[in-house]
Structures are given as C-alpha cells and as structure tokens.
Amino acid sequence: MAKKEWSISLKREFYKDIFGIALFPFMLCIFTAIVFIVYLSPTIKMIKGDRPIQYSDKVGTYYVETNYNDIYGTSSAPQDNMVIVFFANKDCDQYYCLPMTGNNIRKDVASVFAGSESVFGKAMREKMDLDRGYKYTLDDDLAYIIGKAEEKIASLSITSSFKTESDRGNIIGSHIINNTDIELSGSLNAAIKSFTEETDISVTVIIDKAESVFGLKTPTSNILFLVAFTALSIFYIVKATIKIVRRVRFEKNPQLFYKPTIYDQNSEEDGY
C-alpha cells in the first residue's frame, strides 16, 4: 500500500490562521467590556436605589381623584371644592403637581389651574427653583403660587365661583395634608384660607412622596440587554475557541482530519 503524503502548513500560515480565528472574539471581548462599562455601572446604581421615579399621568390622576372623593365625598357640596397634589422627591429637586377642581366650579375659574400655560402652571415654573431645591422653601413657594391664582380669579370680577348654587350647610374646610418630612411654616395654610375667603372654594393641598406613589423604575431593559449580549459573546468566544483547538490539532496531526475517498481506494488498488 502506498502511503498518503501529508502536507503541513508553514508556521507563518498557521499563525495567520490562528490570528484570523481569534480576531473576531478578541474584538468582541473589547466591545463587550465597553458595553459593560457603559451599561453596567448605571444599572448597578439603579438596582442599589438610585433609580429614577416612574412618573405616570394615569397614576397621578387616579391619586388625585381618589383623594378628592375621600375628602369631599361627605360634603353637602361635593363638587364645589379643589384638591392640589404636590409630589415631592426625596432630594427635593423634582416635583409633579396636579390640581383638580370640582365639576361645579365655573370654567373660567377652573382654567386658572388647567395646564402648564395656565396662571397656576406659569407661577409654578416661575417660583420653583429646582437647582436650589425646595425643601426649606416649599411652604412659601406654594403660598405664592396659590396667591397668584387668587389674584387672577379676583380680577375676573365674578359674583360666584360656581355654575349653580349648592347646599353649603356641611362644607369641608380648607386644609393641608403633609405626608412628607418637609416642614411647613404656616404661609401655605394662610394662603389657602385667603383663597377660600376670596373664592368660596375649599382647597385641600396634599404633599406626598413621589417615590411612594409612583414607585421607582426597574432597569429591566438594561439587564435583559446585558444578559443577551453576554450570552451572545460567550457563544462566539466558545465557537472561536473550538476552531482554534481544531486548527492546532490539525497542525500537529493532519492525518486525523483526513477522510479517505473512493479515489484513494482506487489508487491503492492500482498500486499508486
């Protein structure tokens, strides 16, 4: 039997093959490291507690409506009132404010509080200094804002703030509900009392923790991305490693990878 001649690649070609196989997973490792630096650090911070608040108009509206009904449900004039909810975050550098007026309040009066371009909304943007924070000024800030709304309603020169007359024999008075650790000095209480005297509208101001009401965002998308990207990187690295091992084995023992064909059999029979 004639022996099969085996050719062994030159060392230069061998290293070139190894470099070509390893280049993609090597670059992938570098890219993975960059992705981890970009995504992992903020994701860990979010998991530890530095997560942003998950603000939601739906949740905020539900909160305001529920509290309005709870507070004024037993009033003899349940639609003659108003609730202003101020959601404060723990650092007092963000806020979310929602006013709600009863259905019996005149449209021109209700419009003073409707939207960011209303008198109330503009006064809010003008007065609230988020760079400075409002932990020690919220009382005076809200008092100023409600005072601006009172001035606007007074300038309308209307005889009543309501669409129709109501039974005002059992009215819930204006008051403040503070569910935070922000201290109030008394300016806000005086402001809502003055507002009620001017407009006959009972006002309840609720100050609550935004984190408790809305909850914090979970970095689900970041986590899933990191898991998927890591799994994909491992897959390609393992695949490349297998190719490198096979290439090294082929370099040392190429005959192990040779599969005889019908032509080899014919050659042996012919004595080649």
Side-chain angles (χ1 to χ4, degrees):
M1 292 177 59
K3 293 184 177 180
K4 178 71 177 177
E5 295 281 341
W6 298 95
S7 61
I8 300 175
S9 65
L10 297 174
K11 288 294 182 182
R12 183 180 296 175
E13 294 299 322
F14 170 71
Y15 290 130
K16 186 185 294 184
D17 290 346
I18 295 297
F19 177 78
I21 297 172
L23 180 60
F24 177 72
F26 176 74
M27 296 300 295
L28 188 61
C29 286
I30 295 176
F31 185 63
T32 301
I34 295 173
V35 169
F36 264 74
I37 292 172
V38 173
Y39 279 89
L40 191 60
S41 179
T43 301
I44 291 175
K45 288 183 180 180
M46 290 175 69
I47 293 174
K48 285 183 176 180
D50 295 333
R51 292 181 287 167
I53 299 171
Q54 191 166 309
Y55 291 109
S56 166
D57 290 338
K58 184 177 180 180
V59 173
T61 301
Y62 177 80
Y63 181 97
V64 176
E65 291 177 349
T66 300
N67 278 274
Y68 185 100
N69 293 330
D70 289 345
I71 295 168
Y72 295 112
T74 59
S75 172
S76 59
Q79 297 302 323
D80 291 7
N81 313 286
M82 181 175 180
V83 168
I84 299 174
V85 178
F86 185 93
F87 297 107
N89 71 321
K90 65 179 181 179
D91 295 325
C92 294
D93 58 0
Q94 298 176 16
Y95 73 87
Y96 188 92
C97 187
L98 286 175
M100 176 181 171
T101 55
N103 292 332
N104 194 40
I105 294 178
R106 288 172 51 125
K107 185 176 181 180
D108 50 356
V109 174
S111 65
V112 174
F113 300 90
S116 60
E117 295 304 313
S118 65
V119 172
F120 182 86
K122 290 179 179 178
M124 181 73 70
R125 293 200 306 274
E126 172 190 344
K127 191 63 177 175
M128 300 300 296
D129 186 350
L130 300 184
D131 293 330
R132 177 190 61 184
Y134 53 78
K135 184 171 185 178
Y136 303 105
T137 62
L138 183 60
D139 195 62
D140 292 334
D141 292 342
L142 290 180
Y144 171 85
I145 294 164
I146 291 175
K148 284 293 183 180
E150 178 185 335
E151 290 177 6
K152 177 60 179 178
I153 295 172
S155 70
L156 298 176
S157 301
I158 54 178
T159 57
S160 174
S161 298
F162 310 110
K163 298 175 183 176
T164 60
E165 292 298 321
S166 305
D167 177 10
R168 303 186 63 79
N170 181 26
I171 299 297
I172 307 298
S174 295
H175 60 287
I176 301 170
I177 300 174
N178 185 5
N179 296 326
T180 70
D181 58 356
I182 299 175
E183 295 184 3
L184 305 177
S185 61
S187 300
L188 177 58
N189 189 58
I192 61 176
K193 299 294 184 185
S194 174
F195 182 87
T196 301
E197 290 177 1
E198 174 65 36
T199 64
D200 289 330
I201 301 172
S202 175
V203 182
T204 298
V205 176
I206 304 174
I207 304 172
D208 211 339
K209 300 175 182 177
E211 292 87 351
S212 299
V213 175
F214 296 101
L216 302 175
K217 290 183 180 179
T218 301
T220 305
S221 58
N222 284 14
I223 294 172
L224 291 176
F225 174 78
L226 287 174
V227 170
F229 190 78
T230 301
L232 187 64
S233 299
I234 292 173
F235 171 78
Y236 279 110
I237 291 170
V238 170
K239 189 175 180 181
T241 302
I242 293 173
K243 285 185 177 181
I244 291 173
V245 171
R246 286 179 176 174
R247 182 65 182 87
V248 172
R249 288 180 64 195
F250 176 78
E251 180 69 16
K252 292 182 177 180
N253 300 288
Q255 67 274 13
L256 297 177
F257 296 84
Y258 177 73
K259 295 180 181 180
T261 67
I262 188 172
Y263 301 106
D264 297 310
Q265 185 177 0
N266 292 337
S267 297
E268 290 177 359
E269 292 175 352
D270 293 340
Y272 292 105

